[in-house]
Amino acid sequence: MSDIINQFLAPALMLFITGFVGAMLKRNLISLFMCVELMLCGAMLALLSFASAYDDMRGGVFTFFILTIAAAEVAVGLAILTRLFSVAKSVSGNNLGNLRD
Amino acid sequence: MDDFYIISIYAGVYVPLIFAVLLALIYPVAGGKAARVLGMTAASVSALASLAVWYGFLKLHSGSPNFAFTSDIADFLPALGVNGISVPFFALAGVVGFAAVYWACISDIKSVKAYMILLLFMQGGLMGVFASTNLLWIYMFHEFALVPTFVATCVWGGAGKRMAAMQMAVYLTLGALVSLVGIIALVVFSGSDGFGIGEIASALKSVELNASLQGWIFALLLFGLGTLVSLFPFYTWAPRGYSAAPTSFSMLHAGVLKKFGLYLLFQVCAPMLPAGLSEWVWCLAVLALFNVLYIGLVTMAQRDLKMMVSYSSVAHMGLCFLGLCSTSILGVGGALILMFGHGLSVALLFMLSNAVVNRTGQWDMRQMGGLYKKTPVLAAFFIAAIFASIGLPGFANFWGELSILVSLWNFSPAICALAALGLIISAIYGLRAVAWVFMGTPSEPLRRDFDSISDLSLRERFPAFVLIAALAFAGFFPWTIAEPVNANLSAQAVYNQSK
Amino acid sequence: MDVELYSILLLPLCSAAIIALFLRSSKWGGATVSVTSAGIALAMAVAAMLSDAKIEAFESRHVLFSLGDFSMNFGVLFDPAAMNMLFVVCFVGFLIHVFSVGYMDKDPCKGRFFAGMSFFMFSMTGLVLSSNLFMMFVFWELVGFSSYALIAHYADTEAARAASKKAFIVNRVGDVGFLLGIIFCQAKFGTTSFSELSQILSQNPSQASTLMGLLLLCGFLGKSAQFPLQVWLPDAMAGPTPVSALIHAATMVAAGVFMLVRLSAVGMLAPDVLDTVAILCALMAFFAGLWALGQNDIKKILAYSTLAHLGLMGVGVSLGYDLAMYHLTMHAFFKATLFLVAGSIIHACCHEQDIYKMGGLFRRMPLTSFVGLLASLSIIAIPYFSGYYSKEAILAASFGKAHITGAVFDQIVFWLVMGAALLTPIYMGRLFFNVFLGKPNSEKAANAKESGIFMILPLLVLGIYSLAGGWSFAYDIFWLDGKMDGLLPSAATQFVGNMLEVHMPALESVQGAGLLAKLALSLTVLGLLAAYFLYGRNRGYDTLQRNVPILYDALKQHGWFDSLYDWYVAKVQQRFAVLLATFADMFLIELLFVRGIGAFCAVIGYGIKGLHVCSANSQVRWFAAGALLLFLLFVAF
């Protein structure tokens, strides 16, 4: 039991940390988006590993939810990014200051 | 028989609100004339309903201290009813609202539809404030009446309108917020089920709030509501706000809305928090004296006609607060009578100042003069309004001021003497205004267009006449206000029976 | 009786309302209504006094409103003092109304004038009939308002504009003290009704408090223009002459004396208060006489004369209130006559008011001048004229008091009164010789003609009263079944007459009283001679002004009160108000306090805004920090 958890949790944690650090540091918005997806992946992996370890279906069901939402979110987010690019001519996160005073 | 008056109360409160919504709905197709007709109808219905309710109250319920004409139509609708303290102000809101809407109809206003919607919302809110028996709904109606003022000042106001509107909005909302905290505290600590005034009172009978708690709650309410009534030192929004606001709105605000704070203090706070009142009474007396004397002196330094009228309205509120300080039936009754009279006289003064400024094209009183030759009727009304506000017998203000001063002697003879000095100060600035504007010979800038100045037209005389008639009525028959007030106040333990 | 009294009270009010609402621009409508109402009021007043019922005090009361234990009563008290005053007010008022019809014939704003006159009659009647101090205060204020409105009649002149404001405000200053006194009375005794106070104070006379008396005195000082509130009366001459005659000579300024008489009769005035009245009024009687010598305007001379005689009435109050009432009645007659004579002259000379531009009017306006002569002899106190009796009574009483008590204070008062008695013939002689005798000193005076019937008739009637009015009090001339005493109804003479019967023998029996009477008479003749040699003989200029200009100018400054008050208002009061308005209000409260709070919030806002870095990464960092904080809080609690 703890084996499975150790085997899968470590990679999940590494996925999450990679995604987190990337989200904090990456300038390119698309990269930032990918890091967010990475964080979601890590979370999903952790959920599935616990589901399998404790023989509980709920982890899997929740993962399905996350997948669906991630898909929808990616669609909307990429659409926004595309629109943003055609207006601002760049996808660098540092220059999005229009709402600031 | 009560049913007719219950319907009148509902009509008085809801007709302006409904007509405002109606006007908003037909906004694209309605013309200025439709707006005026709807506005006048709503205001007339309100005024007549409020006067009918006053008459009915005097006839049927004059001796009772409780709320009359109450009804339980629906849970989500506010519970309406009037008692001895609120019925004169219900009538005041109706009469001043009528004059204000009438004046708006005969004035030249751009985009009159939007103006009328805001004005009707304000009128409906004011009627609702004095007809509610539920604290929360009183507060809500007050906000209904307050917010249109900010919008109207910002759009249709005079000089310095943006700053004045901004200052009024923030300041008054802050004051209302502080008082809301006080209201909620009162309701929570009394353990009452809801916000109804009767519920809170009966809950307080079983729960005894200790003195320090009462002190805190009363302080919150006093300073929050005091800001709304321009108590020193929270008054600076008033002069700038009133001189920048369009006339009908300053009439309703200074005349009726300003009395909201004092009304709530008399109706709810003082009876329910007697220990709190006695803790703050000296502080309040000193602040109120500052209102009377300090702001009286500041009024004397004003050259601008509208600023003078605004500052004088702040100064008179000081006397009303002193009536509260005396914690006697005579003092509080006098304050209520003075509030009634002052509402009418200050609304009249704003209206007539507007008429004067329209004719002379400027606000500086020193640049006017000799106007009585061209506008004798306007001069007569203006002089009557000034004498009413400085407390000439024959108008309601006099009985109020007299009662307050008599009651103050038992509280503290020194404070009574200082407050009486306010009589001299108000005479000085009032008569000086009359002398500068109407007497003497016209000044240089005025002389050029002097011949084109015309007197008050017949249409303009009507609202002035209505307000003066109301003032004279209350001046000759003060018992119509004093009797219901007396019955109500005698039942409250907090006002000792001494004169 | 209630109905009649309320009709006398309310009829002029209805007349004023009708004129103000409907008859403002009518040519003679306003005058007709006003004069008719004054006439009916007079008739009803006289009828009430001549009624068969034995004249006792009549009182009625209605409650206007009540709050708690306090109730505001409206009631009438028709006792002998009120009857006396009511007769004076209605009689003199009616005659002046008739006079105004002639005087204001060319005035374009007659309607406004007569409405104001009717309103004044209403207010004055109300004041006279009031049964308690609060009601008296109500009508006191209303009388002040009528005075304001009527002084402001010629509103386009600078003089009227300033004078009306000044009159009301100075009166208000006195009224504040008066009101505080009334409130004190209410708080101490629980009532302000005269009859109830009389009962309370007769049981325990020592209860009358000095402070209360002094506060109530302020009302007298304001309304009857004594030190230090006398500055409004000379300026009030800017109003039309009938107004000066009615309000500022005969009735309104006498209301202060009437109030003191009422209070004194009830017992409210402690001895200290009476002493204060005596010294203030004696000083005024003397100095006003001096200042009258520094004026060239006929109305101003008469105004200072009124100030002096009001001072005499005040001294009379301190010596015995019947004496004050006596002089009030006599003064009303002859001063009203003098003002109407002045009005007749001013009207005939096309509004020329300088006495040195008049002259020789005896030949051109014989009737007016003859009446003027009668009134002048009366005010100078020639024996058998009405002014003689009352002034002699006051003089004798003052002498008696000084003789009996021997105090320095009383002696000072006596000598001041004697000084006033000497000055009266001097300034009146100055007026008479320069206006009526000699040759005309200007075109206008040369073209003067006798006035019309509306002005002459009231003049003649009042002239007769100036001569014979005093006989009703000094002697008993009962006729018409004992209901009329000489020229006045007995009900009106009862108040003074009854007390005089007790008072006069006591005064006459004082050692040296006979000598005093002779001395006073010789002083009068001396004063007349001095006036003739100093000012008479048709010089056309003022001797003092030409030869001793310093003295003349000093007298003209009338005690520098006006200069002092003007300096105070302009330099101290207004500057302080402007200081408060600019520094304290705009700077301290508005800028530092209110806008300061706004600025403080803005600074915090800027600080927080600085934390908003516009990059997407920072959002994630903030998110992480917040999550960490929440986790720590969760763990800690």
Side-chain angles (χ1 to χ4, degrees):
Chain A
M1 191 72 64
S2 51
D3 237 7
I4 299 179
I5 294 180
N6 284 343
Q7 266 185 339
F8 286 102
L9 272 187
L13 190 61
M14 291 216 294
L15 273 174
F16 188 85
I17 289 178
T18 314
F20 186 64
V21 170
M24 282 218 288
L25 295 175
K26 278 287 186 183
R27 240 178 297 158
N28 192 319
L29 279 177
I30 300 184
S31 309
L32 199 138
F33 221 141
M34 284 199 286
C35 295
V36 171
E37 296 305 314
L38 264 179
M39 281 195 273
L40 280 175
C41 263
M44 279 192 282
L45 193 52
L47 268 171
L48 283 173
S49 68
F50 277 112
S52 139
Y54 292 107
D55 224 355
D56 194 342
M57 280 289 282
R58 287 182 288 189
V61 171
F62 198 22
T63 309
F64 268 117
F65 274 112
I66 296 180
L67 271 174
T68 319
I69 292 175
E73 167 207 340
V74 163
V76 172
L78 282 178
I80 294 179
L81 277 178
T82 319
R83 200 73 195 98
L84 179 66
F85 178 71
S86 69
V87 170
K89 305 288 189 290
S90 112
V91 273
S92 168
N94 282 347
N95 302 330
L96 300 172
N98 284 7
L99 282 179
R100 195 193 208 201
D101 231 342
Chain B
M1 202 54 233
D2 268 9
D3 285 338
F4 170 68
Y5 298 112
I6 296 179
I7 296 178
S8 298
I9 297 187
Y10 273 92
V13 174
Y14 286 117
V15 163
L17 293 172
I18 294 174
F19 274 44
V21 170
L22 193 67
L23 194 53
L25 286 176
I26 64 172
Y27 194 89
V29 299
K33 188 145 181 226
R36 292 193 181 91
V37 166
L38 279 176
M40 267 327 296
T41 323
S44 318
V45 167
S46 264
L48 290 171
S50 64
L51 290 173
V53 167
W54 193 9
Y55 172 75
F57 190 89
L58 280 176
K59 211 169 67 151
L60 301 172
H61 294 273
S62 194
S64 94
N66 303 318
F67 278 103
F69 306 139
T70 51
S71 55
D72 226 342
I73 291 193
D75 249 348
F76 60 89
L77 279 182
L80 298 178
V82 288
N83 74 354
I85 299 185
S86 61
V87 75
F89 294 100
F90 191 59
L92 176 72
V95 171
V96 175
F98 176 77
V101 172
Y102 192 100
W103 190 259
C105 288
I106 60 178
S107 303
D108 201 12
I109 300 173
K110 282 172 39 173
S111 37
V112 70
K113 286 180 284 185
Y115 192 87
M116 201 52 77
I117 294 177
L118 289 171
L119 197 57
L120 285 177
F121 261 117
M122 188 170 190
Q123 168 76 351
L126 285 171
M127 304 293 284
V129 163
F130 295 114
S132 288
T133 59
N134 184 312
L135 262 186
L136 196 61
W137 273 107
I138 291 184
Y139 190 83
M140 298 272 278
F141 275 121
H142 171 253
E143 293 301 310
F144 257 142
L146 192 54
V147 173
T149 325
F150 311 147
V151 181
T153 308
C154 211
V155 179
W156 288 278
K161 60 187 182 185
R162 311 224 30 215
M163 188 68 223
M166 177 67 114
Q167 190 175 10
M168 266 212 304
V170 176
Y171 219 143
L172 291 178
T173 312
L174 190 63
L177 192 66
V178 171
S179 62
L180 181 63
V181 173
I183 290 176
I184 294 176
L186 179 63
V187 168
V188 166
F189 281 112
S190 70
S192 115
D193 286 331
F195 279 82
I197 296 181
E199 290 172 326
I200 305 177
S202 52
L204 277 173
K205 285 201 186 86
S206 40
V207 172
E208 189 62 46
L209 300 172
N210 67 355
S212 70
L213 183 62
Q214 281 194 26
W216 276 112
I217 302 180
F218 190 80
L220 280 172
L221 285 166
L222 178 65
F223 289 108
L225 295 170
T227 313
L228 294 175
V229 189
S230 63
L231 177 68
F232 184 90
F234 308 115
Y235 67 90
T236 42
W237 56 270
R240 288 151 193 80
Y242 290 149
S243 28
T247 311
S248 298
F249 284 93
S250 18
M251 280 169 73
L252 276 177
H253 194 144
V256 190
L257 191 54
K258 207 178 210 182
K259 318 289 181 287
F260 163 73
L262 277 167
Y263 164 74
L264 211 58
L265 280 172
F266 289 133
Q267 176 88 291
V268 168
C269 309
M272 294 186 190
L273 301 166
L277 176 60
S278 52
E279 191 180 309
W280 285 96
V281 89
W282 277 100
C283 173
L284 181 59
V286 169
L287 290 179
L289 266 185
F290 265 100
N291 253 53
V292 172
L293 295 175
Y294 167 89
I295 296 193
L297 285 171
V298 171
T299 318
M300 265 175 27
Q302 299 303 318
R303 299 275 173 269
D304 181 323
L305 180 58
K306 272 187 109 173
M307 285 285 259
M308 188 213 85
V309 177
S310 319
Y311 269 112
S312 80
S313 79
V314 174
H316 281 113
M317 289 297 106
L319 265 178
C320 299
F321 276 110
L322 285 172
L324 176 62
C325 291
S326 71
T327 60
S328 64
I329 299 182
L330 181 61
V332 174
L336 289 167
I337 299 179
L338 179 57
M339 279 154 63
F340 183 84
H342 174 262
L344 291 168
S345 63
V346 85
L348 184 60
L349 276 175
F350 272 118
M351 196 166 76
L352 295 174
S353 311
N354 185 241
V356 167
V357 168
N358 282 347
R359 282 160 175 76
T360 57
Q362 58 184 306
W363 304 270
D364 190 350
M365 289 190 279
R366 286 289 195 89
Q367 302 294 325
M368 302 183 197
L371 217 53
Y372 88 97
K373 270 217 207 66
K374 283 284 171 182
T375 62
V377 177
L378 175 59
F381 275 118
F382 194 87
I383 292 178
I386 287 277
F387 271 105
S389 79
I390 71 181
L392 189 74
F395 295 112
N397 309 49
F398 173 72
W399 301 117
E401 287 183 2
L402 187 67
S403 309
I404 294 174
L405 288 172
V406 175
S407 71
L408 271 179
W409 186 272
N410 283 326
F411 174 69
S412 159
I415 294 201
C416 179
L418 287 172
L421 288 181
L423 285 176
I424 306 178
I425 298 179
S426 59
I428 293 180
Y429 60 68
L431 291 184
R432 202 190 278 182
V434 170
W436 273 337
V437 175
F438 290 106
M439 300 203 209
T441 48
S443 64
E444 262 314 313
L446 201 55
R447 224 169 290 172
R448 273 174 263 134
D449 307 309
F450 201 60
D451 285 321
S452 60
I453 296 180
S454 61
D455 203 352
L456 276 185
S457 66
L458 216 55
R459 291 192 308 172
E460 285 173 325
R461 280 180 221 188
F462 183 57
F465 179 73
V466 165
L467 289 173
I468 284 272
L471 269 171
F473 173 75
F476 279 93
F477 305 109
W479 61 267
T480 50
I481 306 179
E483 212 180 287
V485 162
N486 194 17
N488 185 294
L489 295 176
S490 309
Q492 316 282 6
V494 68
Y495 306 123
N496 48 31
Q497 293 276 346
S498 74
K499 3 178 175 61
Chain C
M1 182 60 86
D2 213 10
V3 176
E4 284 105 331
L5 291 174
Y6 277 107
S7 315
I8 301 178
L9 179 61
L10 294 173
L11 195 62
L13 179 64
C14 298
S15 148
I18 293 174
I19 301 177
L21 288 175
F22 305 117
L23 294 171
R24 283 176 50 121
S25 24
S26 142
K27 199 152 184 297
W28 291 114
T32 322
V33 172
S34 188
V35 173
T36 319
S37 80
I40 298 180
L42 174 65
M44 292 181 74
V46 172
M49 289 182 224
L50 292 179
S51 64
D52 270 324
K54 177 90 175 68
I55 304 297
E56 302 243 322
F58 168 81
E59 188 171 354
S60 77
R61 170 195 302 212
H62 306 272
V63 177
L64 204 56
F65 72 91
S66 67
L67 283 168
D69 279 348
F70 175 82
S71 65
M72 179 70 65
N73 299 323
F74 187 88
V76 290
L77 176 63
F78 198 49
D79 66 347
M83 289 183 214
N84 188 337
M85 192 74 184
L86 188 66
F87 178 78
V88 169
V89 168
C90 288
F91 183 66
V92 176
F94 172 69
L95 288 173
I96 296 185
H97 271 76
V98 176
F99 180 86
S100 320
V101 173
Y103 186 83
M104 308 289 283
D105 55 359
K106 293 196 191 61
D107 193 289
C109 304
K110 278 198 281 279
R112 192 155 47 100
F113 177 81
F114 280 106
M117 292 284 272
S118 285
F119 189 79
F120 171 76
M121 291 301 287
F122 157 70
S123 325
M124 195 66 209
T125 316
L127 199 155
V128 168
L129 291 175
S130 300
S131 67
N132 62 45
L133 278 170
F134 275 118
M135 264 307 127
M136 191 179 252
F137 183 75
V138 167
F139 286 106
W140 196 268
E141 292 275 301
L142 287 177
V143 168
F145 167 69
S146 327
S147 165
Y148 168 85
L150 285 167
I151 296 176
H153 184 78
Y154 300 126
D156 44 0
T157 60
E158 193 53 46
R161 183 208 239 191
S164 55
K165 200 167 32 119
K166 191 180 196 175
F168 193 83
I169 293 175
V170 174
N171 260 304
R172 256 286 156 111
V173 175
D175 289 352
V176 165
F178 190 33
L179 183 61
L180 288 174
I182 299 179
I183 294 176
F184 191 179
C185 172
Q186 170 78 19
K188 186 163 184 188
F189 296 120
T191 173
T192 53
S193 153
F194 294 117
S195 43
E196 285 173 27
L197 283 172
S198 165
Q199 278 176 341
I200 296 175
L201 285 164
S202 60
Q203 284 168 0
N204 191 354
S206 63
Q207 278 203 321
S209 128
T210 312
L211 177 62
M212 195 192 301
L214 286 176
L215 285 172
L216 290 166
L217 191 62
C218 293
F220 165 74
L221 295 180
K223 191 64 76 182
S224 300
Q226 300 297 304
F227 285 125
L229 297 172
Q230 86 280 12
V231 291
W232 65 273
L233 191 53
D235 289 2
M237 297 298 120
T241 312
V243 169
S244 310
L246 181 58
I247 300 186
H248 304 124
T251 47
M252 185 183 99
V253 292
V257 180
F258 178 69
M259 182 262 290
L260 280 187
V261 166
R262 269 249 198 261
L263 289 175
S264 197
V266 156
M268 280 267 273
L269 300 178
D272 285 337
V273 177
L274 289 176
D275 281 342
T276 320
V277 175
I279 190 65
L280 283 177
C281 293
L283 283 170
M284 176 57 87
F286 180 70
F287 280 106
L290 275 182
W291 296 337
L293 292 174
Q295 303 296 324
N296 287 356
D297 183 325
I298 187 173
K299 285 179 70 175
K300 288 259 168 68
I301 298 176
L302 290 176
Y304 282 103
S305 167
T306 309
L307 280 178
H309 281 268
L310 287 169
L312 270 183
M313 289 182 225
V315 173
V317 169
S318 70
L319 297 168
Y321 52 85
D322 52 318
L323 298 173
M325 203 66 195
Y326 197 5
H327 196 58
L328 195 161
T329 316
M330 301 295 102
H331 174 263
F333 292 144
F334 60 65
K335 194 46 72 66
T337 316
L338 280 172
F339 265 107
L340 291 190
V341 164
S344 178
I345 294 174
I346 292 173
H347 188 85
C349 294
C350 299
H351 289 275
E352 174 60 67
Q353 291 184 218
D354 188 336
I355 59 172
Y356 290 110
K357 299 234 171 41
M358 299 181 193
L361 288 176
F362 219 110
R363 221 160 295 128
R364 284 165 181 74
M365 304 175 67
L367 283 173
T368 307
S369 311
F370 177 65
V371 172
L373 177 66
L374 287 179
S376 305
L377 292 176
S378 189
I379 191 175
I380 297 174
I382 300 294
Y384 297 113
F385 282 80
S386 28
Y388 170 74
Y389 299 105
S390 57
K391 207 182 56 193
E392 281 309 303
I394 293 181
L395 210 58
S398 178
F399 176 74
K401 189 161 183 214
H403 192 86
I404 295 175
T405 64
V408 175
F409 180 81
D410 294 317
Q411 291 190 354
I412 294 178
V413 169
F414 169 68
W415 284 110
L416 283 172
V417 171
M418 281 294 271
L422 173 60
L423 283 167
T424 313
I426 298 183
Y427 62 72
M428 279 314 296
R430 170 175 179 256
L431 191 149
F432 191 84
F433 296 137
N434 281 298
V435 171
F436 294 110
L437 303 181
K439 289 195 308 294
N441 281 321
S442 69
E443 273 295 316
K444 294 185 180 173
N447 295 332
K449 283 196 318 280
E450 189 58 83
S451 305
I453 186 84
F454 280 110
M455 291 202 258
I456 286 295
L457 267 180
L459 268 182
L460 285 174
V461 175
L462 276 174
I464 297 174
Y465 271 77
S466 305
L467 167 63
W471 299 345
S472 311
F473 291 92
Y475 316 112
D476 285 333
I477 317 173
F478 289 116
W479 55 287
L480 201 69
D481 239 355
K483 288 200 222 134
M484 286 287 289
D485 183 354
L487 288 171
L488 279 71
S490 343
T493 61
Q494 215 191 3
F495 180 70
V496 177
N498 287 352
M499 288 210 63
L500 272 186
E501 275 173 30
V502 175
H503 220 143
M504 285 311 282
L507 289 176
E508 276 153 21
S509 68
V510 170
Q511 191 187 24
L515 189 60
L516 175 71
K518 294 196 189 65
L519 181 64
L521 190 55
S522 48
L523 275 182
T524 307
V525 175
L526 209 71
L528 267 179
L529 285 174
Y532 183 71
F533 284 114
L534 267 179
Y535 296 111
R537 290 197 285 182
N538 191 32
R539 287 189 192 152
Y541 60 85
D542 189 298
T543 324
L544 217 54
Q545 193 174 17
R546 191 164 286 200
N547 298 334
V548 196
I550 306 173
L551 185 59
Y552 180 80
D553 286 330
L555 290 177
K556 195 166 178 194
Q557 285 296 321
H558 48 271
W560 292 277
F561 274 92
D562 262 329
S563 328
L564 182 66
Y565 290 151
D566 286 342
W567 174 84
Y568 163 74
V569 168
K571 297 284 185 281
V572 176
Q573 189 173 275
Q574 196 59 20
R575 279 206 187 146
F576 185 57
V578 172
L579 176 73
L580 285 182
T582 49
F583 178 68
D585 190 55
M586 270 178 21
F587 181 66
L588 227 49
I589 294 184
E590 176 74 359
L591 246 47
L592 278 186
F593 186 41
V594 174
R595 305 270 177 101
I597 291 184
F600 178 66
C601 294
V603 164
I604 294 184
Y606 270 118
I608 296 181
K609 194 173 73 175
L611 293 173
H612 282 138
V613 187
C614 57
S615 73
N617 304 89
S618 68
Q619 310 295 326
V620 181
R621 291 192 203 116
W622 274 105
F623 175 82
L628 193 61
L629 183 68
L630 279 172
F631 179 68
L632 285 173
L633 284 172
F634 182 67
V635 164
F637 295 114

